[in-house]
Amino acid sequence: MIIQARIVAAIRKIPRGKVATYGGVARGAGYPGAARQVVGVLRRSFGLAWHRVLGAGGQIKLRGDSALEQRFRLEAEGVIFRGRRVDMKRHEFKFPPKRSAAGRRK
DNA sequence: ACTTTGACTTCGG
DNA sequence: TCCGAAGCCAAAG
């Protein structure tokens, strides 16, 4: 499985109204520390829930209008912002454990 | 094959 | 709370 596919798959698992961090997505995809690859995938791909991916601490790492749009979209999904950050305690999405006894195909 | 590029993360001051 | 440095990994040029 190539990294991009896993990252895309991980992002697709984020439910509406929830968010994840770049690092979180990377870990969820099975590549801890590959946060930058998550960025790469988000930039080069369309059709992904890019607005549900934030930086560490629930901070939006985008600049300009994109940041505003991201915030707008998240609020539209019910995500609550506290200042410039998202309330991670309520909206951070926990990715399913990578390989546990239950629920794996591979 | 090598260098650059990213919407990052974490730690220390 | 803010800033800088180091660590991180793969894709694109």
Side-chain angles (χ1 to χ4, degrees), chain A residues 22 51 53-64 66-72 74 81 84-86:
Chain A
Y22 297 93
H51 56 285
V53 185
L54 304 165
Q59 240 186 111
I60 289 181
K61 305 298 281 196
L62 294 172
R63 289 173 306 269
S66 303
L68 295 177
E69 185 178 330
Q70 179 168 31
R71 176 167 178 158
F72 177 74
L74 289 174
F81 275 76
R84 35 172 98 134
R85 307 185 177 180
V86 165

Side-chain angles (χ1 to χ4, degrees), chain A residues 13 24-25 34 37 56 58 75 79 82 84 86 90 92:
Chain A
K13 289 176 190 162
V25 170
Q37 272 48 254
E75 291 183 318
V79 175
R82 232 200 76 329
R84 35 172 98 134
V86 165
R90 306 183 197 217
E92 181 176 2

